[in-house]
Amino acid sequence: PSIKWAKEAGMIPQAALCITTSPVHTLEYYCELADKEIEAGAEELCLKDMAGIGQPAFLGKLTKMIKDKHPNIIIEYHGHSGPGLSMASMLEVAKNGADILDVAIEPLSWGMVHPDVISVQSMLKNAGFDAPEINMDAYMKARAMTQEFIDEWLGYFINPKNKISSSLLLECGLPGGMMGSMMADLGGIHTTINNLRKKKGEPELSLDDLLVKLFDEVAYVWPRVGYPPLVTPFSQYTKNIALMNLLTIEQGKGRFAMMDDSMWGMILGKSGKVPGKIADELVELAKQKGYEFTDADPHTLLPNALDSFRKEMDENGWEYGQDDEELFELAMHPEQYRNYKSGQAKKNFLADLQKAKDAKLGAKVSIEEATAFKHAKADAIVAPVKGQVFWEFQGDGEAAPAVEPFIGKEYKEGEKFCYILAPWGEFVEIPAALGGKLVEINAKQGSKTNKGDVLAYIQRNEK
């Protein structure tokens, strides 16, 4: 229905084919999917090679098959550099009729992003294409402005590994942009797993050992959950199942023992139909848990809450925007939008930026100076153990990541606030102290914390 709604709104609907390599992702599979999307009204198709693992010859054949049958459909190729195939893939799709190639400019090109426009243009001209000239004055100005932005802001939050290509991505198929988060996740359970292995008299694993094990586990999990396209959020779900399996296997609990609602939602069909078959062991496990599979259109499983968001906009006096874009932003990202409107998002960002700058410079802030910024009437929520912070898991398997709660959220005395994954593998529940209004958060989803660290501040309600 999204294609229909886009056309009704006067937009040009573009549908995507999420490219991956598996026994079920064949040329016939993609061509059939393209036919359905075009029949539904799509005027453009994007070959979304989000991990850059699409094989060049395969992509060329796919482009030609679609163009031969639908010559008027615009085809765009969106391929990340990741494992290093993207330049060859661009040439193949161009030779077979692709209309648009997504590129990047320095200093953000290459690595896990797109090839640079200069290299792509040179390749196409040499192959006989009538590629337009590049305005190098504009390129260099944009390059300088981007570098300035990176130096002042963005560079403090970019994982250095995102600038490096990795052939390891070819086997697991995960998008290269996930490498940073994957390494952070592995670092979070690395000590826990090694502690478990030491107790069993087994040798400890290095972070690289664990990364290879994670890739192998993704390769085990992926076919069993039906070969979902490894793009957000399904790539995160698949990776998280594999990550939790590594932990629970070491604990002696076996696989698939620790999965949240989002992971199960993908398996049960609440996030859409996966292209492959769900493994019998997961079907049986779902039956044991009383879960039911569904083939319903995912959007029909969600309540229509737009009126409640309209009410919130009206009560706060917030403008809807020229095309209701502000309303839709609130509906899609409620916690983030509320933080933005309250000014808390800017405060958090500037605090994170300063913390990153201090860390880079080796600067230290005294406890007294840090305490001076805290709210006088607020209770500190302190971590009772060392570990990794997890906020409330999303319910009903909707396609949305778990994030920290919004500033201003009310808690009752003793109500569950968050969890900490302790080094011994247990999820420790953290209560909301005496309750009240959340006024500051110091820990993000998945971040590491030490015993005694302040996770957040909750201001008690006036009696």
Side-chain angles (χ1 to χ4, degrees):
S2 57
I3 294 176
K4 172 177 173 289
W5 295 333
K7 289 178 79 74
E8 288 176 354
M11 302 176 185
I12 298 174
Q14 182 187 82
L17 303 177
C18 292
I19 303 299
T20 192
T21 303
S22 83
V24 301
H25 291 90
T26 62
L27 288 169
E28 292 72 25
Y29 168 82
Y30 281 118
C31 285
E32 182 181 346
L33 189 56
D35 289 343
K36 290 179 179 178
E37 292 177 342
I38 292 168
E39 184 181 355
E43 299 173 27
E44 299 182 2
L45 291 178
C46 177
L47 306 186
K48 185 176 174 62
D49 193 3
M50 57 280 171
I53 63 169
Q55 292 295 328
F58 179 94
L59 290 166
K61 291 176 184 176
L62 176 59
T63 302
K64 186 175 188 304
M65 290 171 72
I66 296 173
K67 275 290 188 179
D68 284 348
K69 190 171 183 179
H70 307 283
N72 295 323
I73 290 293
I74 292 175
I75 294 182
E76 179 173 0
Y77 176 67
H78 177 97
H80 286 247
S81 298
L85 301 178
S86 55
M87 285 290 280
S89 296
M90 285 186 168
L91 187 56
E92 282 295 319
V93 298
K95 286 180 176 179
N96 286 281
D99 303 281
I100 302 169
L101 302 178
D102 287 355
V103 295
I105 66 168
E106 292 183 0
L108 292 176
S109 52
W110 304 111
M112 296 300 173
V113 193
H114 301 295
D116 193 272
V117 62
I118 295 176
S119 299
V120 175
Q121 188 243 23
S122 174
M123 174 183 69
L124 293 177
K125 287 185 71 173
N126 187 263
F129 288 92
D130 183 16
E133 295 300 319
I134 297 171
N135 182 334
M136 289 306 299
D137 288 337
Y139 178 97
M140 296 305 292
K141 184 175 181 179
R143 179 176 180 267
M145 292 172 67
T146 305
Q147 188 62 59
E148 182 180 0
F149 178 68
I150 289 175
D151 292 341
E152 293 184 3
W153 307 88
L154 189 60
Y156 291 98
F157 304 98
I158 295 179
N159 189 303
K161 292 185 182 295
N162 286 348
K163 290 297 293 178
I164 304 172
S165 295
S166 174
S167 299
L168 293 173
L169 297 169
L170 279 172
E171 287 299 318
C172 72
L174 292 172
M178 287 181 61
M179 282 296 286
S181 63
M182 272 194 292
M183 297 309 294
D185 290 340
L186 285 174
I189 68 168
H190 185 211
T191 302
T192 302
I193 285 180
N194 276 337
N195 286 340
L196 292 167
R197 292 179 68 86
K198 278 193 290 187
K199 289 180 182 178
K200 295 184 290 185
E202 298 175 358
E204 294 186 27
L205 300 172
S206 69
L207 208 53
D208 283 344
D209 293 334
L210 205 54
L211 180 62
V212 172
K213 277 186 169 289
L214 177 59
F215 285 160
D216 289 343
E217 190 61 23
V218 168
Y220 178 89
V221 167
W222 189 34
R224 286 164 177 79
V225 296
Y227 289 112
L230 293 179
V231 65
T232 301
F234 306 116
S235 52
Q236 284 86 346
Y237 297 162
T238 304
K239 180 264 295 181
N240 288 341
I241 294 172
L243 188 70
M244 291 296 102
N245 281 356
L246 293 183
L247 177 61
T248 56
I249 287 171
E250 294 292 348
Q251 292 172 328
K253 299 177 182 177
R255 290 182 167 96
F256 307 117
M258 192 181 292
M259 296 196 295
D260 66 18
D261 288 342
S262 295
M263 301 174 195
W264 270 114
M266 175 182 72
I267 294 167
L268 297 172
K270 293 183 178 180
S271 298
K273 185 180 184 299
V274 293
K277 178 180 179 294
I278 301 296
D280 292 339
E281 60 185 305
L282 286 170
V283 174
E284 181 58 32
L285 184 58
K287 182 188 291 186
Q288 293 173 13
K289 291 179 173 289
Y291 296 159
E292 294 183 358
F293 287 83
T294 179
D295 58 1
D297 192 328
H299 88 276
T300 64
L301 302 175
L302 300 174
N304 188 343
L306 201 56
D307 285 342
S308 67
F309 289 118
R310 284 194 179 96
K311 181 180 178 183
E312 183 175 350
M313 296 286 284
D314 293 339
E315 289 176 347
N316 285 285
W318 295 339
E319 295 290 334
Y320 281 45
Q322 182 177 341
D323 297 305
D324 287 349
E325 65 270 17
E326 296 292 319
L327 171 65
F328 296 135
E329 190 64 43
L330 171 64
M332 290 189 295
H333 308 108
E335 286 82 5
Q336 293 89 336
Y337 190 83
R338 291 168 187 140
N339 279 354
Y340 160 69
K341 295 299 286 189
S342 70
Q344 187 63 38
K346 184 176 182 179
K347 176 187 173 185
N348 290 347
F349 170 72
L350 293 176
D352 288 345
L353 179 63
Q354 189 59 53
K355 190 183 297 183
K357 288 181 176 180
D358 290 343
K360 188 172 182 179
L361 295 172
K364 299 293 181 182
V365 179
S366 69
I367 295 176
E368 291 77 15
E369 289 173 315
T371 304
F373 289 99
K374 307 307 175 187
H375 299 266
K377 297 181 180 180
D379 295 316
I381 307 298
V382 178
V385 296
K386 175 183 178 181
Q388 191 172 12
V389 178
F390 288 88
W391 300 98
E392 185 78 46
F393 288 125
Q394 298 295 320
D396 298 327
E398 69 264 37
V403 295
E404 57 267 26
F406 63 90
I407 299 299
K409 182 175 181 179
E410 294 283 344
Y411 288 88
K412 296 178 182 178
E413 182 176 351
E415 183 180 354
K416 173 173 57 59
F417 182 64
C418 67
Y419 299 95
I420 293 179
L421 175 60
W424 56 87
E426 177 185 355
F427 278 91
V428 179
E429 183 175 313
I430 312 301
L434 298 175
K437 183 173 69 173
L438 181 64
V439 293
E440 187 165 328
I441 298 173
N442 294 331
K444 294 183 180 296
Q445 171 76 3
S447 63
K448 298 176 188 176
T449 188
N450 291 313
K451 181 178 179 180
D453 284 353
V454 176
L455 303 175
Y457 284 81
I458 295 180
Q459 182 174 306
R460 275 173 275 171
N461 295 324
E462 297 288 343
K463 298 294 186 180

